[in-house]
Amino acid sequence: MTGFFTLFYKELLRFWKVGFQTILAPMVSTLLYLLVFFHVLEAHVEVYPDIAYTHFLIPGLVMMAIIQNAFANSSSSMIQSKISGNIVFILLSPLSYHTIFLAYVLASVVRGILVGLGVYIVTWVFFDIPLQLPIWSIIFVLLGSGILAVLGLIAGIWADKFDQLAAFQNFIIMPLTFLSGVFYTIHSLPSGWQYLSHLNPFFYMIDGFRYGFLGVSDISPYISLLIVASCLMIISMLAIRMLRTGYKLRH
Amino acid sequence: MLPALEVQHVSKHFGQIHALADVSLSIYPGEFFALLGPNGAGKTTLINIIAGLSLADNGVVQVMGHDVLSDYQQARLNLGIVPQELVFDPFFTVREILLIQSGYYGLRNNGRWVDEIIERLDLSDKAHANMRALSGGMKRRVLVAQALVHKPPVIILDEPTAGVDVELRQTLWEFIKQLNRDGHTIVLTTHYLEEAETLCNRVAMLKQGRIVALDNTHNLIGQMTAGNSLRLRLSPDTLPEGLQDRLSKHEDGIHELRIDHYVHIESVLAALRAANIEIVEMHLQQPDLEDVFINIMKNNNLTK
Ligand SMILES: Nc1ncnc2c1ncn2[C@@H]1O[C@H](COP(=O)(O)OP(=O)(O)OP(=O)(O)O)[C@@H](O)[C@H]1O
Ligand SMILES: [Mg+2]
């Protein structure tokens, strides 16, 4: 247990010591999104009857901030350690691969939540966003940030260089995030796009999270929960397997 | 006695390169062991396999009886590694790093030992400095400290004195010798052969991934037959006829004579006295580990 808590604590310190970049900066950029979209779309878009666009948008943006930062944390921590070589201190230690996995993922989940919470608190001052079924939101925050933290770990282990990591982020994570219904409901899309959106696991995270706020969603939250939890399980197994076999870490 | 470190038939290749070819080696508790070889011989590769940083193609490695693959946690608890590369975590101070490292080994309240290591490695002024602010030699000391936080019975140091100043080299070796006296098994690599000669009781020499010598330091040097030589400056600067067949070199007014046994010194002196030649300067040169090393490397030209 000491081993786990130490690595977890080290991973927390790692981003906390540069909190300006890792927490404040992403909060600011999320709030900028909010400002722009609110200004442009508030008057024109009705996503659900009787629900203001901001009430729809803000949970989406909060979730987007959470998952992006969960990904950013584990991926950058892993690739920095690999490239600077100090990953050896973890590899030389008796920490089990389950421990390494859990510490990296949970620290990244914490970062995601801190950013998301920060954004939520700031918006809460200006817009009164109801949180009707908080337990659903919490479940989806944990699962969604968990998925992205695991993906970040996988990407960080896989990438040999920073530009490979950037490619992973730009060609996989970003499109999946932006096409997941942060800014719109998929019911507003042509049916082909709706179908494609259903293949995007990020869509279920955001939809489920938003259900906790609004009490309405595109898809039953139980189905979203099933899909998101299965995704987390599958990619966790993949990441643990990579750590166990030493893929790209132990030559 | 159970070996502290057991390496059996270990091979490793990188593409076409055979970094290690069927290496077997047992190192016993309490030994001070040197792993020598030219650049690229495979020393670091072998250490990485022992540490679990690299996976062998085949063969078995055990640390204090624990297999490094199937029983990796116990194996690593028993092992402290000082890596050759100067790696560090730029987010932390020296003391933070050492406490974190202790935590990885399950040690929660390790402050006292950490402070002792800091002091023994002369890092007290830098204990609260960020790793980035340390010079190369200081970073290497921190690497040594990191390997010792869990007091491992087996300590492997991959070129611990590269880039370290003379004074620290002395302090470092004193500390390591102390650890060895306290029962820790020490394995080191170095390109300074006189360090290996004075410190280590046993030596393995690697060349192109094979062990080409494995013996007591003393035996290895003793094997150098015809290794002694007598260097003389004479007045007048001539060598009597009877000693010509001993002459191996005559340079800058120095005659270098081969001496297979010490008794031969006496006959050399007698011959000089008889010829009425005065000795201006005399120096007996004995073979050292460096001569052995050069000799062994030369005689093992197993090209690919
Ligand atoms: N990761 C790697 N990929 C490819 N080749 C490697 C790798 N690591 C080592 N090698 C090769 O394996 C051989 C042995 O290297 P190794 O680092 O073990 O040598 P060494 O004895 O430690 O040398 P030095 O004294 O320079 O540290 C070299 O030919 C090296 O180029
Ligand atoms: Mg080396």
Side-chain angles (χ1 to χ4, degrees):
Chain A
M1 275 322 252
T2 305
F4 165 76
F5 281 115
T6 307
L7 183 56
F8 177 60
Y9 170 74
K10 191 212 85 170
E11 283 297 299
L12 291 181
L13 269 188
R14 195 196 72 90
F15 73 74
W16 189 251
K17 284 192 171 195
V18 286
F20 195 80
Q21 287 173 49
T22 54
I23 298 179
L24 221 54
M27 271 174 63
V28 170
S29 55
T30 308
L31 291 167
L32 281 175
Y33 272 119
L34 176 65
L35 208 67
V36 171
F37 279 90
F38 168 67
H39 185 74
V40 175
L41 297 177
E42 170 69 1
H44 311 287
V45 180
E46 188 186 60
V47 280
Y48 294 119
D50 302 327
I51 291 177
Y53 181 62
T54 38
H55 288 196
F56 174 86
L57 178 66
I58 288 172
L61 283 175
V62 168
M63 189 61 168
M64 186 171 97
I66 291 173
I67 63 179
Q68 278 185 344
N69 283 281
F71 179 85
N73 196 68
S74 51
S75 61
S76 63
S77 176
M78 180 47 79
I79 199 163
Q80 278 173 10
S81 287
K82 255 175 45 175
I83 286 179
S84 72
N86 62 42
I87 189 77
V88 297
F89 300 125
I90 290 167
L91 297 178
L92 286 172
S93 77
L95 294 172
S96 73
Y97 39 87
H98 291 110
T99 304
I100 297 174
F101 171 81
L102 274 182
Y104 269 90
V105 169
L106 290 182
S108 302
V109 165
V110 170
R111 165 151 159 215
I113 289 175
L114 284 178
V115 176
L117 208 59
V119 172
Y120 180 60
I121 289 170
V122 174
T123 54
W124 188 69
V125 174
F126 300 100
F127 309 92
D128 180 25
I129 312 289
L131 184 52
Q132 300 188 357
L133 303 160
I135 188 73
W136 279 104
S137 293
I138 291 170
I139 290 173
F140 279 97
V141 162
L142 293 176
L143 294 176
S145 57
I147 289 179
L148 270 289
V150 177
L151 277 178
L153 189 61
I154 291 173
I157 294 173
W158 164 79
D160 300 313
K161 293 178 272 177
F162 284 107
D163 50 344
Q164 286 175 330
L165 183 60
F168 194 100
Q169 193 153 15
N170 293 331
F171 293 108
I172 299 177
I173 302 299
M174 289 296 267
L176 288 178
T177 309
F178 278 90
L179 302 177
S180 65
V182 171
F183 304 107
Y184 51 83
T185 83
I186 61 163
H187 291 306
S188 62
L189 294 175
S191 64
W193 280 101
Q194 274 192 37
Y195 174 74
L196 278 180
S197 296
H198 281 119
L199 297 178
N200 178 359
F202 290 26
F203 159 72
Y204 301 94
M205 295 174 202
I206 302 222
D207 198 53
F209 179 70
R210 195 179 269 137
Y211 175 75
F213 281 82
L214 308 178
V216 284
S217 54
D218 286 345
I219 295 266
S220 154
Y222 292 97
I223 293 178
S224 294
L225 179 61
L226 189 73
I227 291 173
V228 172
S230 317
C231 279
L232 179 58
M233 253 190 8
I234 291 166
I235 58 163
S236 295
M237 278 176 356
L238 177 65
I240 289 175
R241 194 189 138 79
M242 286 166 94
L243 288 168
R244 181 164 50 80
T245 57
Y247 175 76
K248 294 238 186 162
L249 293 175
R250 302 181 196 267
H251 303 283
Chain B
M1 191 167 32
L2 191 71
L5 206 56
E6 175 83 323
V7 175
Q8 281 172 5
H9 305 295
V10 165
S11 300
K12 174 77 181 174
H13 69 91
F14 295 106
Q16 297 294 319
I17 302 169
H18 275 268
L20 292 173
D22 196 23
V23 169
S24 295
L25 186 63
S26 302
I27 298 173
Y28 291 91
E31 280 204 89
F32 209 131
F33 191 95
L35 199 55
L36 304 178
N39 291 138
K43 304 178 295 293
T44 300
T45 305
L46 180 58
I47 292 172
N48 286 345
I49 288 171
I50 294 168
L53 292 178
S54 242
L55 306 171
D57 298 341
N58 42 52
V60 175
V61 179
Q62 293 178 339
V63 181
M64 301 301 279
H66 302 286
D67 189 280
V68 297
L69 296 179
S70 61
D71 195 7
Y72 68 95
Q73 289 186 303
Q74 281 304 317
R76 289 182 203 162
L77 278 169
N78 282 288
L79 189 61
I81 299 270
V82 180
Q84 177 175 6
E85 303 284 335
L86 267 189
V87 291
F88 61 97
D89 196 326
F91 285 96
F92 301 99
T93 69
V94 172
R95 197 162 185 280
E96 280 174 338
I97 286 275
L98 295 177
L99 289 175
I100 288 172
Q101 192 75 20
S102 305
Y104 293 165
Y105 288 86
L107 305 167
R108 222 173 318 163
N109 303 308
N110 206 27
R112 276 178 78 169
W113 174 237
V114 161
D115 290 331
E116 186 178 335
I117 311 175
I118 287 177
E119 200 188 319
R120 295 296 299 263
L121 288 167
D122 217 353
L123 283 165
S124 303
D125 321 343
K126 300 287 175 188
H128 300 286
N130 186 284
M131 287 300 296
R132 264 184 301 229
L134 266 53
S135 74
M138 291 170 190
K139 288 192 185 109
R140 189 162 307 277
R141 293 183 226 178
V142 178
L143 281 182
V144 175
Q146 279 182 270
L148 299 178
V149 290
H150 56 300
K151 301 187 184 165
V154 182
I155 301 166
I156 304 183
L157 306 103
D158 199 350
E159 296 191 32
T161 48
V164 166
D165 67 38
V166 184
E167 198 185 327
L168 180 83
R169 216 181 274 182
Q170 301 294 339
T171 0
L172 180 62
W173 288 135
E174 272 317 310
F175 188 26
I176 305 284
K177 275 190 323 206
Q178 177 68 48
L179 289 166
N180 182 240
R181 278 194 295 271
D182 294 346
H184 296 262
T185 308
I186 312 286
V187 179
L188 62 90
T189 77
T190 177
H191 291 292
Y192 304 109
L193 296 176
E194 69 281 4
E195 276 182 352
E197 184 177 336
T198 49
L199 291 164
C200 299
N201 67 310
R202 218 150 61 96
V203 170
M205 293 189 189
L206 273 178
K207 182 175 184 183
Q208 292 173 12
R210 283 164 213 280
I211 292 190
V212 290
L214 174 63
D215 208 338
N216 280 328
T217 317
H218 191 75
N219 290 352
L220 276 175
I221 296 171
Q223 275 168 17
M224 285 289 285
T225 48
N228 292 313
S229 60
L230 199 60
R231 294 162 59 86
L232 297 166
R233 188 185 294 279
L234 303 171
S235 160
D237 186 17
T238 51
L239 201 64
E241 198 53 39
L243 295 179
Q244 287 296 345
D245 55 340
R246 290 197 178 277
L247 185 68
S248 59
K249 219 167 28 181
H250 182 201
E251 251 175 35
D252 305 327
I254 302 272
H255 295 270
E256 192 174 303
L257 306 184
R258 275 186 301 275
I259 301 288
D260 301 335
H261 295 285
Y262 292 125
V263 288
H264 293 158
I265 296 175
E266 211 173 309
S267 53
V268 169
L269 296 180
L272 289 171
R273 202 179 315 119
N276 223 349
I277 296 170
E278 194 187 328
I279 299 173
V280 181
E281 204 181 302
M282 183 169 89
H283 183 65
L284 179 67
Q285 205 162 10
Q286 290 167 307
D288 57 15
L289 196 57
E290 193 155 327
D291 299 315
V292 178
F293 184 83
I294 290 167
N295 195 31
I296 287 176
M297 291 303 149
K298 205 166 56 198
N299 293 339
N300 284 282
N301 263 327
L302 14 97
T303 40
K304 337 214 149 138

